[in-house]
Amino acid sequence: MIRVLIVEDEKPISDLIRMNLQSAGYQCDCAFDGLEAASKVENGHYDLILLDVMLPEVSGYELMPFIQPYGAPIIFLTAKDSVEDKVKGLKLGADDYLVKPFEIVELLARVETVLRRYHLTERVLEAGGLVVDTASRTVKKAGTEIPLTKKEFDLLLFFIRNKNIALFRDKIYENIWESDYMGDSRTVDLHVQRLRKKLNWENRIASVYKVGYRLELD
Ligand code: CA
């Protein structure tokens, strides 16, 4: 299981991140100041660190040279939407940054991207009776392969990794088609329909009124 250290002094934000990462299948640990973060990094093994810039005791920037040698990728969380902060974080060696407040879908996407870059994503996912192999890009149900197109496969993974979250059509579009959403809801709808049919997931992929879709998994 992938272990994430959340370094964030604001408890409500820390809780929000933790709950969402946990429900996405990550194991989470939290540190609420720079010193606690340093000691956790020293004593535990983490696959990813989410690091707030403005922390009591020792700032996120000051922590960087200490925690970097441990090798875990780092995503900065910054409240300031200033170019200087982003550049400084990346120059110090962070893998990415998120500007607060951010949407949970955005957080999960960034986490996923960084982990993928480090080949840390789980290779085989099991969800709703399916076995999804992300390396061979195959989907099996009761041992039988279900042929999916590239986009259908990407869409399925996106749903599984964001299970039980209502996903807006524009977010789905931007993540799967990697371009700006121009209001073309038909593309998303058609792919969802085909995916539902192929997987026999008519009830699992629920339509969310005025939003988009939600994959419902226990
Ligand atoms: Ca803070």
Side-chain angles (χ1 to χ4, degrees), residues 8-10 52-56 100:
E8 166 62 68
D9 60 308
E10 288 168 78
D52 187 19
V53 174
M54 303 294 282
L55 288 168
K100 293 189 273 187

Side-chain angles (χ1 to χ4, degrees), residues 178-197:
E178 291 174 1
S179 57
D180 287 341
Y181 182 69
M182 308 297 276
D184 179 17
S185 61
R186 200 169 155 69
T187 306
V188 174
D189 294 341
L190 273 175
H191 278 78
V192 170
Q193 276 172 36
R194 277 195 227 123
L195 192 61
R196 274 176 173 157
K197 209 170 172 194

Side-chain angles (χ1 to χ4, degrees), residues 75 87 121:
I75 299 177
V87 172
T121 38

Side-chain angles (χ1 to χ4, degrees), residues 1-217:
M1 194 179 246
I2 290 168
R3 297 192 59 189
V4 181
L5 177 64
I6 302 159
V7 186
E8 166 62 68
D9 60 308
E10 288 168 78
K11 185 117 188 348
I13 299 176
S14 174
D15 286 348
L16 183 76
I17 296 172
R18 181 179 48 78
M19 286 186 298
N20 281 284
L21 288 183
Q22 278 174 347
S23 82
Y26 299 99
Q27 192 182 324
C28 297
D29 219 341
C30 299
F32 297 94
D33 64 54
L35 293 177
E36 190 185 6
S39 116
K40 290 212 160 163
V41 170
E42 207 179 355
N43 297 304
H45 170 78
Y46 298 100
D47 298 301
L48 177 70
I49 298 168
L50 301 180
L51 181 59
D52 187 19
V53 174
M54 303 294 282
L55 288 168
E57 310 287 347
V58 184
S59 81
Y61 291 146
E62 292 170 309
L63 265 180
M64 276 298 278
F66 177 80
I67 61 176
Q68 247 193 328
Y70 290 88
I74 295 159
I75 299 177
F76 263 128
L77 307 175
T78 168
K80 296 180 231 165
D81 190 8
S82 76
V83 179
E84 293 82 12
D85 273 320
K86 292 173 193 171
V87 172
K88 187 171 179 187
L90 294 174
K91 264 193 178 164
L92 283 169
D95 294 87
D96 207 347
Y97 59 83
L98 265 169
V99 176
K100 293 189 273 187
F102 44 78
E103 286 179 50
I104 289 305
V105 172
E106 175 85 346
L107 167 76
L108 293 173
R110 297 289 180 99
V111 164
E112 194 60 40
T113 303
V114 169
L115 290 173
R116 202 181 304 134
R117 204 181 295 153
Y118 283 78
H119 307 291
L120 287 170
T121 38
E122 306 276 356
R123 199 192 133 159
V124 178
L125 302 163
E126 290 182 37
L130 299 180
V131 177
V132 181
D133 189 322
T134 59
S136 63
R137 297 181 63 89
T138 53
V139 179
K140 285 185 179 169
K141 190 174 197 172
T144 307
E145 190 174 336
I146 300 172
L148 296 182
T149 65
K150 182 183 181 299
K151 292 296 182 206
E152 287 164 358
F153 186 87
D154 290 344
L155 186 59
L156 173 62
L157 263 188
F158 189 62
F159 273 129
I160 291 173
R161 287 178 173 150
N162 295 283
K163 65 183 177 192
N164 301 320
I165 296 173
L167 298 167
F168 283 84
R169 279 192 181 78
D170 57 343
K171 284 285 163 201
I172 295 173
Y173 188 87
E174 283 166 11
N175 273 280
I176 306 304
W177 280 268
E178 291 174 1
S179 57
D180 287 341
Y181 182 69
M182 308 297 276
D184 179 17
S185 61
R186 200 169 155 69
T187 306
V188 174
D189 294 341
L190 273 175
H191 278 78
V192 170
Q193 276 172 36
R194 277 195 227 123
L195 192 61
R196 274 176 173 157
K197 209 170 172 194
K198 283 190 179 181
L199 304 176
N200 198 14
W201 271 14
E202 274 85 356
N203 296 322
R204 277 205 192 277
I205 304 177
S207 297
V208 183
Y209 183 61
K210 284 189 174 171
V211 174
Y213 300 96
R214 181 181 55 238
L215 173 60
E216 296 180 342
L217 286 176

